[in-house]
């Protein structure tokens, strides 16, 4: 550089930029001057769309719950039952089966064995033919008869209404316990996590987990406790009616513009590749 020649500097008033429009800003990188201007401007941290999006935000979760309430206002458990015991048996039989299938079996079953004591007096082998069509009948017969014997011997013939006690029954895990405690005893002790809840919670990005205990913990953190029972029923109904495992009916879904599931069949919003069943 020649001594004494000072390179031209941007004017402190900013007037030198006036030719480039009202703000005086030229797109970054178009001239050396513009690059210098951009470099000296305050560096506001820019959030990407991904950073701004929080699938667990109370606003988003609240909107999901609101739309579920509007769509499925009074849904309840689809398993037919007239007592806590009948619901417990029906829920045990529903594993790897459909509610429709279980509802075909249970009326005759409870006519044949009307009380818990009747079940407690059976051997699993005696019960097997009556529940054969629900599948996994050997294990289910063992669970039902084992639960009946324990309820008669330890709980005075009454299905317990405490989580710890009900979990002590053979064949009863948290899903069954939550169904009975929530639906019959109206106690929100947890969220029922079955195949529908697993699939839809993942599609809606309410969980990243795939095993039921972790999914339940995730849902219990974001769903208000007073909604746990209804939310479970609503999601199970949603899974049957619209959000099926294969070919969900996204074009008819009330949650469509809140859902970024990668396996949607129709979408008005961005797809998130990790949001899938
Ligand atoms: S938009 Fe489709 S994938 Fe998402 S919840 Fe609705 S039915 Fe399920």
């Amino acid at each position: 550089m020649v001594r004494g020649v000072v390179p031209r500097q941007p004017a402190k008033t900013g007037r030198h930029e006036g030719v480039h429009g009202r703000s005086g800003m030229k797109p970054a990188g178009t001239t050396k001057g513009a690059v210098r201007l951009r470099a000296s401007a305050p560096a506001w941290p820019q959030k990407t769309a991904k950073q701004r999006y929080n699938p667990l935000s109370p606003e988003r979760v609240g909107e999901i719950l609101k739309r579920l309430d509007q769509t499925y206002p009074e849904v309840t458990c689809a398993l037919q039952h007239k007592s806590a015991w009948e619901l417990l048996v029906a829920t045990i039989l529903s594993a790897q089966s459909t509610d429709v299938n279980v509802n075909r079996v249970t009326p005759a079953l409870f006519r044949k064995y009307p009380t818990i004591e009747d079940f407690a007096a059976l051997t699993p082998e005696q019960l097997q033919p009556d529940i054969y069509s629900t599948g996994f009948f050997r294990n289910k017969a063992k669970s039902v008869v084992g639960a009946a014997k324990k309820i008669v011997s330890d709980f005075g013939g009454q299905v317990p209404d405490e989580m710890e006690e009900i979990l002590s029954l053979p064949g009863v895990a948290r899903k069954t316990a939550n169904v009975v405690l929530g639906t019959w005893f109206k106690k929100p002790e947890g969220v029922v996590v079955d195949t529908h809840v697993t699939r839809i919670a993942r599609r809606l990005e309410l969980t990243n987990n795939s095993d039921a205990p972790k999914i339940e913990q995730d849902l219990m953190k974001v769903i208000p406790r007073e909604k746990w029972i209804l939310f479970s029923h609503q999601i199970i109904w949603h899974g049957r009616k619209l959000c099926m495992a294969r070919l969900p009916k996204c074009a008819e879904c009330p949650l469509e513009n809140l859902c970024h599931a990668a396996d949607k069949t129709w979408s008005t919003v961005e797809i998130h590749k990790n949001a899938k069943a």
Side-chain angles (χ1 to χ4, degrees):
M1 182 184 300
V2 181
R3 277 175 71 116
V5 177
V6 179
R8 200 165 167 219
Q9 299 292 316
K12 290 204 169 71
T13 59
R15 270 182 300 170
H16 68 291
E17 299 147 6
V19 293
H20 300 311
R22 230 159 76 91
S23 69
M25 299 276 274
K26 259 191 107 176
T30 52
T31 68
K32 283 184 183 171
V35 171
R36 290 180 70 123
L37 173 72
R38 180 63 59 88
S40 63
W44 302 113
Q46 295 294 311
K47 286 187 175 174
T48 63
K50 208 167 183 181
Q51 282 171 322
R52 278 195 300 271
Y53 174 71
N54 173 11
L56 306 180
S57 73
E59 295 75 23
R60 178 175 185 267
V61 174
E63 187 60 30
I64 290 173
L65 296 178
K66 190 174 112 190
R67 294 189 199 179
L68 287 173
D69 283 348
Q70 288 164 347
T71 315
Y72 310 104
E74 285 172 7
V75 288
T76 186
C77 183
L79 293 167
Q80 292 170 15
H81 61 279
K82 293 195 214 82
S83 66
W85 168 246
E86 290 191 5
L87 180 57
L88 179 64
V89 173
T91 310
I92 291 172
L93 298 184
S94 72
Q96 311 291 325
S97 186
T98 63
D99 291 351
V100 173
N101 207 9
V102 173
N103 288 339
R104 274 196 211 112
V105 166
T106 48
L109 181 66
F110 296 129
R111 270 197 304 275
K112 188 170 177 184
Y113 306 111
T115 67
I116 298 185
E117 287 75 10
D118 293 329
F119 281 89
L122 295 173
T123 63
E125 290 72 25
Q126 286 173 305
L127 184 59
Q128 285 174 10
D130 299 295
I131 61 170
Y132 176 82
S133 64
T134 67
F136 299 93
F137 61 94
R138 289 191 189 86
N139 278 343
K140 289 179 183 177
K142 218 184 283 177
S143 297
V144 171
V145 171
K149 287 184 192 298
K150 190 163 174 78
I151 290 170
V152 169
S153 64
D154 294 7
F155 299 107
Q158 301 296 315
V159 175
D161 64 353
E162 296 295 333
M163 179 60 88
E164 202 179 320
E165 292 174 348
I166 201 165
L167 284 177
S168 72
L169 302 175
V172 174
R174 276 195 73 94
K175 187 197 99 174
T176 302
N178 280 326
V179 170
V180 176
L181 293 176
T183 303
W184 185 262
F185 293 110
K186 311 292 179 217
K187 284 187 161 185
E189 295 295 330
V191 177
V192 176
V193 178
D194 72 347
T195 173
H196 298 295
V197 176
T198 299
R199 177 175 72 255
I200 297 169
R202 287 176 57 82
R203 280 178 171 162
L204 290 175
E205 298 172 273
L206 300 177
T207 183
N208 286 324
N209 285 304
S210 44
D211 68 305
K214 287 185 182 157
I215 293 171
E216 187 184 357
Q217 288 305 311
D218 290 342
L219 293 175
M220 286 165 72
K221 280 183 206 140
V222 293
I223 309 294
R225 187 181 186 115
E226 68 272 15
K227 285 283 187 184
W228 288 353
I229 299 171
L230 185 58
F231 173 80
S232 306
H233 293 317
Q234 288 171 327
I235 290 290
I236 291 167
W237 277 94
H238 188 56
R240 289 199 192 107
K241 300 265 173 219
L242 295 174
C243 193
M244 294 88 163
R246 295 190 64 238
L247 302 179
K249 298 180 178 174
C250 304
E252 299 168 37
C253 177
L255 306 176
E256 192 284 318
N257 66 347
L258 296 170
C259 174
H260 302 268
D263 49 355
K264 284 175 86 173
T265 51
W266 186 80
S267 192
T268 59
V269 292
E270 182 185 88
I271 293 299
H272 296 168
K273 66 178 181 346
N274 292 329
K276 58 187 173 201

